[in-house]
Amino acid sequence: MRLFVMVEPNFKNTTSCEMIFKELKDNLRKKRISYQVVDSPLCISHQQENTYLVLISTNLSLIVKTIAECEAKLIHPIILSFQLLNSIPGIYSSVTPNIEHSMLSIMSFLKNKCKNSPALYGISTESSPDMARMNCFLQKHILPTSERAIFQNKIGLDGCFEEFFTNFNDYDCVICTNNYAAIHLINSLKQRGVQLNDFVVISYGQTHIASKFYPEITTVDVLKESLGKAAIKILEELESNCI
């Protein structure tokens, strides 16, 4: 077995990427699996033994390109990403967050807080995770939801807030797609003199600055380290089945 690791250049120096890569490296070391870091599958020479490439990336264009290049080189790619990859063609394995599970957990948390009128705030139609969150939000598993309770970030958070504030009294809680949207929402509501005592704000994505807004913002985060660990399990399954 040969293993190569490739990291998206623009994602490489982020804290999230470093956490994923560290867990990946630690688990490879424990399993005594050697690997080589490459910039592209095109630089990997062809050999008879099974060859795998682990790609850590959030860039869909790079992911699509890498999968195609791996297919041409008879390399099996394992994609670690926060993006959803359901619509990407090709033969590959992937490790991505379980967005449906996280939304159900949020809804259960809100129901336990006696909230029953949630809004979804800051949605970007250009973001596949955001669109997946929106679809999960609309499934009405636990709390009643509707399309009118979804507020999109079309031209900026100021516009998103104005649309939401017009309907603010219809909701007793809000789920934000990221910490920046949540912080903007909190600050904007305070500027309008809104008391937030009973209003619950949930936000995807843990950033350092968001911790300063606790308990006004409750954050939900992906266990980034688990992505690297899951990739090793997939690698072992592939190798044991000679894929």
Side-chain angles (χ1 to χ4, degrees):
M1 177 183 73
R2 295 190 301 161
L3 176 64
F4 298 86
V5 177
M6 177 179 165
V7 183
E8 175 196 332
N10 292 336
F11 187 50
K12 185 175 183 179
N13 294 322
T14 66
T15 301
S16 295
C17 184
E18 290 173 355
M19 293 172 68
I20 295 169
F21 201 5
K22 181 181 184 304
E23 186 69 17
L24 178 66
K25 290 187 292 184
D26 288 348
N27 279 274
L28 287 172
R29 189 181 303 111
K30 292 175 184 177
K31 300 287 184 178
R32 297 184 178 179
I33 300 173
S34 60
Y35 67 93
Q36 180 181 342
V37 177
V38 295
D39 296 326
S40 166
L42 299 179
C43 67
I44 300 174
S45 62
H46 175 71
Q47 294 185 21
Q48 292 299 320
E49 60 185 316
N50 292 336
T51 304
Y52 307 96
L53 173 72
V54 174
L55 171 64
I56 305 174
S57 177
T58 59
N59 185 310
L60 286 177
S61 297
L62 177 63
I63 292 170
V64 170
K65 179 173 178 285
T66 302
I67 289 172
E69 291 174 346
C70 283
E71 185 174 357
K73 299 279 287 187
L74 301 179
I75 298 167
H76 187 89
I78 303 172
I79 313 300
L80 276 65
S81 181
F82 297 145
Q83 299 281 14
L84 297 183
L85 311 178
N86 299 341
S87 61
I88 295 181
I91 299 174
Y92 57 92
S93 303
S94 64
V95 182
T96 60
N98 189 331
I99 290 177
E100 182 174 11
H101 176 74
S102 68
M103 183 61 73
L104 289 173
S105 297
I106 290 170
M107 291 293 194
S108 296
F109 173 82
L110 291 171
K111 186 175 183 179
N112 290 336
K113 290 282 187 180
C114 299
K115 304 301 176 184
N116 54 29
S117 299
L120 184 62
Y121 184 88
I123 285 288
S124 169
T125 56
E126 303 298 318
S127 166
S128 57
D130 275 11
M131 297 308 293
R133 290 177 185 125
M134 183 178 74
N135 291 334
C136 293
F137 178 81
L138 291 172
Q139 287 176 8
K140 303 182 178 67
H141 287 307
I142 298 170
L143 295 178
T145 58
S146 66
E147 291 187 5
R148 66 181 294 272
I150 297 170
F151 298 89
Q152 295 184 14
N153 180 13
K154 299 176 182 177
I155 56 173
L157 289 172
D158 287 339
C160 185
F161 173 76
E162 291 301 331
E163 183 179 355
F164 173 76
F165 190 68
T166 302
N167 303 277
F168 175 72
N169 291 329
D170 294 340
Y171 310 104
D172 55 14
C173 55
V174 63
I175 304 167
C176 298
T177 57
N178 58 68
N179 285 163
Y180 301 105
I183 292 169
H184 184 276
L185 173 63
I186 290 288
N187 287 335
S188 298
L189 287 172
K190 287 179 178 178
Q191 289 173 6
R192 300 294 177 95
V194 176
Q195 298 297 317
L196 299 172
N197 298 336
D198 297 321
F199 190 71
V200 176
V201 178
I202 308 289
S203 175
Y204 280 94
Q206 178 66 55
T207 61
H208 175 69
I209 192 171
S211 63
K212 298 180 179 179
F213 285 81
Y214 181 82
E216 292 175 324
I217 299 175
T218 301
T219 55
V220 177
D221 190 29
V222 174
L223 291 175
K224 302 174 183 66
E225 301 92 330
S226 65
L227 299 183
K229 193 172 185 178
I232 305 302
K233 292 182 179 179
I234 290 175
L235 178 65
E236 291 178 325
E237 286 292 325
L238 292 171
E239 185 62 12
S240 65
N241 290 284
C242 299
I243 295 177

